[in-house]
Amino acid sequence: MSIHDDYDRIFKALAHAVRRQILDDLKDQPLTTGTLCEHFPELDRCTVMQHLKVLEDAGLIIAERRGRERWNHLNAMPIHDIHDRWIGPHAAAATARLARFKQAVEAD
Amino acid sequence: MSIHDDYDRIFKALAHAVRRQILDDLKDQPLTTGTLCEHFPELDRCTVMQHLKVLEDAGLIIAERRGRERWNHLNAMPIHDIHDRWIGPHAAAATARLARFKQAVEAD
């Protein structure tokens, strides 16, 4: 599998608001598929599971089976790689300062 | 425009290998549209300009006109925002350490 395919998969996975919301929900803790389904009462279980599969195929979540439960963990490495590719360690501090400046201006 | 629309636009823009390559080319310096077209001899000028428009609409490049030239600058803020959304300042150091560890293991 080429790096191009990997990135295609990652960005296509992230190009959907529900999948981004799932990653938001997993940011602070892993969750079971059942709990995630409860977070999206407007979607049926199959649809949520399809979104989870897209995220797993892209390497953005890692699934862990415990008995009958499936625990979904956010895998932040692809996000880290995106940042490194276009910002990198050198520019990170400057970009972070700029982001804080922008927030301060917008808060005024 | 909602934040959902912004993120949709950003990830759809990034989900194409040519557009990612354009951002790679702009990482270290701004380039004119003419120079970028020369980087993609297999594509006609119109196609390259369409890709630039998608990137500009997503806020990933900022165009600056100087006379008849158009200089394209990488705007790293959306990339920073992606990183902040799912990694954030707290986890950044740990994720960077993990990435270095992964590289060291893979290099062995």
Side-chain angles (χ1 to χ4, degrees):
Chain A
M1 191 195 310
S2 82
I3 187 76
H4 280 279
D5 293 342
D6 281 350
Y7 273 102
D8 278 351
R9 236 187 287 268
I10 291 164
F11 290 120
K12 278 174 191 157
L14 290 168
H16 194 292
V18 166
R19 294 196 287 264
R20 293 194 296 270
Q21 183 65 51
I22 290 174
L23 296 183
D24 289 341
D25 294 347
L26 296 176
K27 186 181 164 181
D28 295 320
Q29 73 284 303
L31 293 173
T32 63
T33 299
T35 305
L36 279 171
C37 288
E38 288 166 17
H39 288 193
F40 297 95
E42 73 283 14
L43 301 179
D44 64 45
R45 191 182 170 86
C46 261
T47 305
V48 174
M49 288 178 75
Q50 279 165 4
H51 285 309
L52 288 173
K53 185 168 174 2
V54 174
L55 288 166
E56 190 178 5
D57 288 347
L60 286 159
I61 65 173
I62 295 170
E64 176 204 2
R65 300 214 159 270
R66 287 191 216 156
R68 291 186 52 193
E69 280 180 340
R70 178 194 141 111
W71 284 82
N72 301 280
H73 298 253
L74 171 65
N75 178 23
M77 291 310 294
I79 309 286
H80 172 86
D81 292 343
I82 293 166
H83 184 266
D84 247 28
R85 177 165 175 175
W86 289 299
I87 300 189
H90 301 300
T95 313
R97 271 197 302 277
L98 199 59
R100 283 195 298 275
F101 177 68
K102 188 168 160 248
Q103 279 167 1
V105 169
E106 286 170 356
D108 269 350
Chain B
M1 190 195 310
S2 84
I3 188 75
H4 280 277
D5 292 342
D6 281 350
Y7 274 102
D8 279 350
R9 236 187 289 267
I10 290 164
F11 291 121
K12 279 173 191 156
L14 290 169
H16 194 292
V18 167
R19 292 195 289 264
R20 293 194 296 270
Q21 183 65 52
I22 290 174
L23 296 183
D24 289 341
D25 294 346
L26 296 176
K27 187 182 163 181
D28 295 319
Q29 72 285 303
L31 293 172
T32 63
T33 299
T35 304
L36 280 170
C37 287
E38 287 166 17
H39 289 195
F40 298 95
E42 73 282 13
L43 301 179
D44 64 45
R45 192 182 168 85
C46 260
T47 306
V48 175
M49 288 178 75
Q50 277 165 5
H51 285 309
L52 288 173
K53 184 168 175 3
V54 173
L55 288 166
E56 191 178 5
D57 288 348
L60 286 159
I61 64 172
I62 294 170
E64 176 204 1
R65 300 216 160 267
R66 288 192 217 157
R68 290 185 53 192
E69 281 179 340
R70 180 194 140 111
W71 285 82
N72 301 280
H73 299 252
L74 171 66
N75 178 23
M77 291 311 295
I79 310 286
H80 172 86
D81 291 343
I82 294 166
H83 184 265
D84 246 29
R85 178 164 174 175
W86 288 299
I87 299 187
H90 301 300
T95 312
R97 271 197 302 277
L98 199 58
R100 284 196 297 275
F101 176 69
K102 188 169 160 247
Q103 279 167 1
V105 169
E106 286 170 355
D108 267 352

